[in-house]
Amino acid sequence: MDEEQRRAYWLANTALIRNLLIIWALASSVFSILLVQPLNTIRFFGLPFGFWMAQQGSILIFVGLIFTYAFQMDKLDRKYNKK
């Protein structure tokens, strides 16, 4: 792999990490802490949505982000012939 491909690979890798971290920050900080009171007016599975996000939703989102990262990195590795 030449230098240009290596650079493109790492730019794509860091962009993916940045985007997933932004989603994680929104889920764990904004929706679970900062907006918990307004979200509590919504019922979800019989619970206030803000409470559910703080207790279960942010964990499920985090696990989903792990699988998304693994899937996207596999695609990226195949694109740039990494093993």
Side-chain angles (χ1 to χ4, degrees):
M1 183 182 326
D2 66 356
E3 186 64 33
E4 186 176 319
Q5 282 185 321
R6 195 172 292 125
R7 185 174 182 84
Y9 173 79
W10 283 108
L11 282 173
N13 185 6
T14 55
L16 174 63
I17 292 170
R18 180 197 64 229
N19 293 339
L20 294 177
L21 283 173
I22 289 170
I23 293 169
W24 179 54
L26 286 172
S28 63
S29 298
V30 176
F31 293 122
S32 299
I33 297 171
L34 298 175
L35 295 177
V36 72
Q37 292 301 327
L39 290 175
N40 277 339
T41 61
I42 302 167
R43 303 297 281 184
F44 189 72
F45 289 119
L47 297 169
F49 187 64
F51 173 78
W52 186 87
M53 275 299 294
Q55 299 301 313
Q56 300 296 323
S58 58
I59 295 169
L60 293 175
I61 290 171
F62 183 68
V63 171
L65 290 175
I66 292 171
F67 284 105
T68 301
Y69 177 75
F71 178 75
Q72 292 297 327
M73 279 307 296
D74 187 49
K75 279 179 38 179
L76 195 63
D77 287 344
R78 279 186 269 128
K79 178 180 177 182
Y80 289 98
N81 295 323
K82 290 270 197 179
K83 289 191 177 198

